[in-house]
Amino acid sequence: MHDFHWDYEVFLFLATLLTLGAWLLAKFKKHRSKQANKATWLSRTAAVGSFFPILFLVLSVRSFAFEPFRIPSSSMMPTLLTGDFIYVDKTAYGLKMPVFHNTLIETGHPQRGDVFVFRSVEDPAVDVIKRVIGVPGDHIRYDERSKQVWLNGAPLALQGDGFYQGFLDEIPGTGLRQNQATTGAASHVVLLSDVVRRSYPHTDLVVPEGHYFGMGDNRDFSVDSRVFGLIPEQNIVGKAQFVWMHWRPDDFWQGLKRIGHRL
């Protein structure tokens, strides 16, 4: 049983139910509204009910199809930058019930290398984005000294590719080195810092059924499964597909180049 949290989706769901009730009430009571005061009350009820089709459409699309998200931090650099707006496919991992998030129809499961959005393990009202490193049955080990990830007894290959020269406004002067990595079927870049070293509580575990292990591509500046542990499948929102907009007031043209960037 998961804790219930008030968020935008809950209010949208309740508003849809409220307007549905008003719409149905107006339909069934219409033929009985002979008196003036009843007619006035009915017209107000009908006005509330008129919002039902719009809210139902928004709730359906947001819950079952796709949802836009804005990247608020640098934990997925350089794959995703602060200011990216991403398209998240909510059909990739199954159709889920709004608010309660129980899977109605299974359409797939997260694969190693996927970039996915999930509700935070620490605060389910907050959405988080990371890369899938471990799936059910995997043995994950993270060596804090070498900053190496081991998957089922084998190291995930990292090939050094010099210093990162991109956006560093949020984490200045950290000497980030970029490394070419392959996780599952995904080839991507991982950033590691020469000066930052951290200890984590979850560095050696086997992923049980219905859970996943996620990490940020900006490894030393990411709060992920090494910190908060495994991600329950019920928390998963969907698979991030591409950047549909980017907004950085300090670099408009760079933002235009980000549009359409696939993940």
Side-chain angles (χ1 to χ4, degrees):
M1 180 67 68
H2 290 251
D3 294 334
F4 183 82
H5 292 268
W6 290 93
D7 56 18
Y8 173 77
E9 185 178 55
V10 173
F11 285 108
L12 180 59
F13 181 73
L14 292 177
T16 303
L17 290 180
L18 176 64
T19 54
L20 171 61
W23 182 78
L24 291 173
L25 188 61
K27 288 290 184 183
F28 286 116
K29 293 291 186 180
K30 186 176 182 179
H31 65 283
R32 298 182 181 178
S33 58
K34 301 268 180 146
Q35 300 176 10
N37 59 342
K38 288 185 178 181
T40 301
W41 173 84
L42 184 61
S43 65
R44 292 173 180 171
T45 304
V48 174
S50 67
F51 288 98
F52 167 68
I54 299 173
L55 291 175
F56 179 74
L57 177 62
V58 173
L59 178 66
S60 298
V61 171
R62 190 183 187 277
S63 299
F64 301 118
F66 68 90
E67 185 175 352
F69 286 86
R70 183 180 185 276
I71 302 303
S73 70
S74 58
S75 71
M76 279 296 292
M77 285 171 52
T79 305
L80 290 168
L81 305 178
T82 304
D84 280 344
F85 289 79
I86 59 172
Y87 169 92
V88 175
D89 181 3
K90 304 186 82 169
T91 68
Y93 305 137
L95 302 182
K96 295 185 178 182
M97 181 72 178
V99 178
F100 304 102
H101 309 123
N102 298 316
T103 300
L104 301 174
I105 302 174
E106 287 194 359
T107 59
H109 298 280
Q111 303 296 311
R112 296 188 202 100
D114 286 359
V115 178
F116 69 150
V117 173
F118 56 93
R119 288 178 298 280
S120 170
V121 175
E122 300 171 306
D123 181 4
V126 176
D127 292 316
V128 182
I129 185 166
K130 303 295 176 187
R131 187 180 298 277
V132 179
I133 302 297
V135 300
D138 284 345
H139 178 199
I140 302 293
R141 184 167 68 85
Y142 178 73
D143 189 311
E144 296 173 340
R145 297 189 64 181
S146 65
K147 303 186 179 184
Q148 177 68 60
V149 178
W150 293 73
L151 173 65
N152 299 324
L156 289 180
L158 290 176
Q159 183 176 355
D161 191 24
F163 283 98
Y164 176 63
Q165 302 296 325
F167 294 112
L168 291 174
D169 53 329
E170 293 188 7
I171 43 176
T174 53
L176 291 178
R177 289 188 180 273
Q178 58 186 24
N179 299 263
Q180 296 295 326
T182 301
T183 307
S187 296
H188 58 100
V189 177
V190 168
L191 300 182
L192 296 173
S193 171
D194 285 344
V195 297
V196 175
R197 293 194 175 275
R198 294 178 175 174
S199 296
Y200 301 94
H202 303 286
T203 57
D204 193 345
L205 46 80
V206 175
V207 183
E209 194 66 33
H211 292 77
Y212 295 86
F213 190 97
M215 292 178 65
D217 289 348
N218 191 3
R219 292 280 171 85
D220 292 312
F221 293 90
S222 173
V223 176
D224 48 43
S225 287
R226 294 169 296 176
V227 176
F228 51 68
L230 297 169
I231 303 154
E233 189 167 20
Q234 192 170 12
N235 284 44
I236 296 174
V237 174
K239 181 179 180 180
Q241 298 284 17
F242 60 85
V243 176
W244 63 272
M245 190 178 80
H246 178 91
W247 175 246
R248 292 182 68 91
D250 58 328
D251 197 339
F252 176 76
W253 294 113
Q254 178 65 26
L256 289 179
K257 296 177 184 178
R258 296 286 298 167
I259 297 175
H261 173 66
R262 296 199 65 84
L263 306 176

